[in-house]
Amino acid sequence: MPRVLTEPVQINQDVEEIVFCDFARLQECSFSYPKNQFYMYITNSGSHLFHIKYNGKSATIEPSDYLEIKENTSEFQIYCTTGSQGFEVRSHAYCAETNFVSQKVLFMDPNPLLSTYNCYASLCSIVPINEENKPWFYSNFTQICYDYNYNWYFFENHNILDTCPWLENYKLRREMISKRFTSIRNFLVDAINDDFYCYLIVNLFHIPSQYYNKSDFPHEILIYGFDLENEEFYIANNFSEGRYVLSKCSFEQMERAFNTVSVDWIEICMYRVKSLDYKVDFNKRYFVNSLRSYLTGQPSILQPAFPSWWTYNCKYGLDVYRHLITIIRNTSADDYLDKRVFCLLQEHKKMMVLRLGFIQEHLKADVALLTYEYEKLAKISAILGNLALKYNSTKNVALLDKIIYYTKDIMEQEDVLIRKLLLNIEENIAVNID
């Protein structure tokens, strides 16, 4: 008959622990718990090895060595081949009185408004655009940048997850996880159970993606759910050749991906949706500053905000197009175009169209003609993106001239449209600009 272990002792609000000592014998002995344990730490305190079986698996524990089991386990068997060997087992389970569930998946919009980068897509998936938050969304995502040091293109306020008014946000250093939790898996389950989305760096070599089992690649990932029965996390990232998708990975894959990160530039970020007891208005002053800075090639806000890992060595606004044209002119058949910049330009035009519709409706400014012109720019941006993808797949250098033509066309048209928009705002909307 299986041995029934001692009663558990609650060690914090959510977790209870069972610690007991016994001997491994020549005859296999079975030990059972009253419920699943999510973590077990078994130490061999004898002078000879012994064997353990659990969940259809088997392992050998040498003298003075230990075995960690990081999966749901309610029963195990132990035996030895020499005498009787002492052992200690320390295991953890979730308290029965907590709100813990075996599966929890936080809300995610599968079709986020923006998705060039994980942080934009994660924000728009967690906090989809609605009537309450439209003024904030449309106040942002106007200025674009190119960073020389890291060779990438982005919206100026890139750390948008940290500044969203509808998200609580907290940050932990990686070493805090190991000090307070037995594994990243346990931390993530606890966090999600408390309604926190977790955003952190993992090594995509261990996560199903284009880098899976091919090359080490540290990158941000969003974890928004768990399934204890199947031992899976629900995750989101630009997994599918740069396309943002909702996916899954095993607990074991997450452990390896977290523990093999070579560099971390964001630490462990936790976000929880919250309600506001105040109204967020459209920031007309910031929007106008962004438009003017777009024309002059200047930052419209003091970015990067501390702490940050990107630099001030940037191009802004229309200067991004000029830089991009230079890059394309110097592109050879051996080079690939960075498709992210073309995605960013498409999403920038999409945001401008939506923003102008908001201004037309809520600020009572007649920008219908400008909206129509920006809709045409949005279509040209889509053509430009398709040409870039076609070049990357065919390496037909004749396409580069077309890509340069459309890039220059968008730049020149946008220069005119933004000047008209600024004039319209100055004539019809009261904006206090210092």
Side-chain angles (χ1 to χ4, degrees):
M1 294 291 293
R3 293 166 176 259
V4 179
L5 304 182
T6 56
E7 290 298 316
V9 175
Q10 191 166 338
I11 59 174
N12 60 40
Q13 181 180 355
D14 299 318
V15 177
E16 57 191 19
E17 182 178 69
I18 293 176
V19 181
F20 79 100
C21 300
D22 206 327
F23 291 91
R25 299 165 176 83
L26 297 177
Q27 181 181 8
E28 182 178 292
C29 292
S30 184
F31 300 84
S32 64
Y33 291 92
K35 62 181 178 181
N36 275 339
Q37 307 293 295
F38 67 79
Y39 174 78
M40 293 175 61
Y41 186 96
I42 305 171
T43 306
N44 184 344
S45 55
S47 57
H48 297 279
L49 62 82
F50 61 78
H51 305 275
I52 179 171
K53 298 178 181 178
Y54 64 97
N55 294 351
K57 304 174 184 178
S58 61
T60 299
I61 307 179
E62 299 286 345
S64 302
D65 203 356
Y66 66 90
L67 172 69
E68 281 188 292
I69 301 176
K70 300 176 181 179
E71 56 186 82
N72 285 337
T73 308
S74 62
E75 185 175 324
F76 64 93
Q77 295 78 40
I78 283 183
Y79 69 95
C80 64
T81 56
T82 304
S84 59
Q85 308 301 320
F87 68 88
E88 178 188 273
V89 180
R90 183 180 300 269
S91 65
H92 290 170
Y94 290 101
C95 300
E97 63 270 20
T98 66
N99 294 323
F100 177 80
V101 292
S102 64
Q103 182 187 55
K104 185 166 185 176
V105 183
L106 301 178
F107 172 81
M108 287 285 285
D109 186 335
N111 300 299
L113 177 65
L114 304 173
S115 60
T116 299
Y117 291 103
N118 193 344
C119 55
Y120 309 154
S122 295
L123 169 69
C124 296
S125 294
I126 299 170
V127 186
I129 192 166
N130 56 40
E131 290 302 317
E132 180 188 11
N133 61 39
K134 274 183 180 179
W136 180 81
F137 270 100
Y138 294 152
S139 299
N140 292 285
F141 304 108
T142 301
Q143 179 65 293
I144 60 174
C145 314
Y146 169 76
D147 188 325
Y148 276 103
N149 288 38
Y150 293 94
N151 189 31
W152 66 304
Y153 304 80
F154 55 99
F155 285 110
E156 182 180 47
N157 42 352
H158 188 71
N159 58 337
I160 198 73
L161 275 166
D162 294 341
T163 60
C164 177
W166 288 272
L167 290 178
E168 296 178 38
N169 74 86
Y170 305 91
K171 284 185 169 49
L172 295 174
R173 298 186 67 84
R174 293 177 74 90
E175 54 265 30
M176 292 298 295
I177 305 301
S178 59
K179 288 181 179 179
R180 296 180 177 272
F181 293 86
T182 55
S183 66
I184 185 62
R185 167 226 164 158
N186 295 338
F187 165 76
L188 292 173
V189 169
D190 274 10
I192 294 167
N193 202 42
D194 286 334
D195 298 325
F196 281 103
Y197 299 79
C198 296
Y199 190 76
L200 62 156
I201 303 295
V202 298
N203 184 357
L204 293 185
F205 178 89
H206 300 288
I207 300 292
S209 67
Q210 65 195 81
Y211 303 99
Y212 186 53
N213 285 338
K214 294 180 181 178
S215 60
D216 291 320
F217 192 79
H219 200 269
E220 306 100 314
I221 193 173
L222 181 74
I223 302 100
Y224 65 94
F226 62 81
D227 182 342
L228 289 183
E229 292 297 324
N230 294 311
E231 298 189 351
E232 291 178 327
F233 284 115
Y234 292 79
I235 58 177
N237 194 1
N238 297 67
F239 291 123
S240 180
E241 296 297 328
R243 186 170 59 89
Y244 190 80
V245 294
L246 307 184
S247 185
K248 297 178 183 178
C249 75
S250 69
F251 287 170
E252 184 178 355
Q253 287 169 335
M254 180 61 69
E255 289 287 349
R256 293 198 302 266
F258 180 79
N259 292 325
T260 58
V261 169
S262 58
V263 59
D264 189 342
W265 54 91
I266 64 171
E267 301 296 346
I268 313 299
C269 305
M270 302 170 62
Y271 302 101
R272 183 163 60 187
V273 177
K274 66 178 180 179
S275 300
L276 298 184
D277 56 4
Y278 60 90
K279 180 183 178 183
V280 176
D281 294 321
F282 181 68
N283 193 332
K284 293 178 284 187
R285 177 179 177 181
Y286 173 46
F287 175 54
V288 170
N289 276 338
S290 297
L291 292 176
R292 289 178 174 174
S293 300
Y294 197 96
L295 295 176
T296 60
Q298 301 294 323
S300 52
I301 55 177
L302 293 177
Q303 283 280 26
F306 181 83
S308 176
W309 56 272
W310 66 85
T311 70
Y312 288 98
N313 189 18
C314 295
K315 290 285 188 183
Y316 295 89
L318 295 179
D319 283 348
V320 172
Y321 286 92
R322 298 183 180 100
H323 170 79
L324 179 58
I325 290 171
T326 300
I327 293 296
I328 299 170
R329 282 178 177 154
N330 294 327
T331 297
S332 69
D334 295 327
D335 301 323
Y336 285 91
L337 294 174
D338 186 349
K339 61 185 179 183
R340 295 174 301 178
V341 62
F342 301 100
C343 293
L344 184 76
L345 296 181
Q346 290 182 62
E347 294 193 337
H348 178 264
K349 303 305 170 280
K350 177 168 67 174
M351 284 299 293
M352 286 299 296
V353 170
L354 294 172
R355 187 170 14 240
L356 289 172
F358 175 84
I359 291 174
Q360 176 86 24
E361 179 181 358
H362 295 276
L363 302 185
K364 309 305 179 185
D366 186 4
V367 291
L369 182 58
L370 289 171
T371 304
Y372 172 73
E373 295 297 329
Y374 255 107
E375 287 173 345
K376 292 197 297 184
L377 274 191
K379 293 177 181 178
I380 296 173
S381 297
I383 294 172
L384 178 62
N386 289 332
L387 285 172
L389 291 176
K390 186 175 181 180
Y391 169 77
N392 282 345
S393 62
T394 66
K395 292 304 182 70
N396 180 1
V397 293
L399 292 172
L400 296 176
D401 288 336
K402 290 184 178 180
I403 295 172
I404 291 173
Y405 169 81
Y406 283 115
T407 303
K408 187 176 180 182
D409 184 39
I410 295 172
M411 177 185 70
E412 292 174 347
Q413 288 197 53
E414 195 158 41
D415 188 0
V416 174
L417 290 178
I418 288 179
R419 293 181 192 277
K420 288 182 178 179
L421 178 56
L422 282 169
L423 182 61
N424 187 305
I425 291 174
E426 290 168 358
E427 291 177 349
N428 298 286
I429 303 173
V431 181
N432 179 26
I433 304 294
D434 293 334

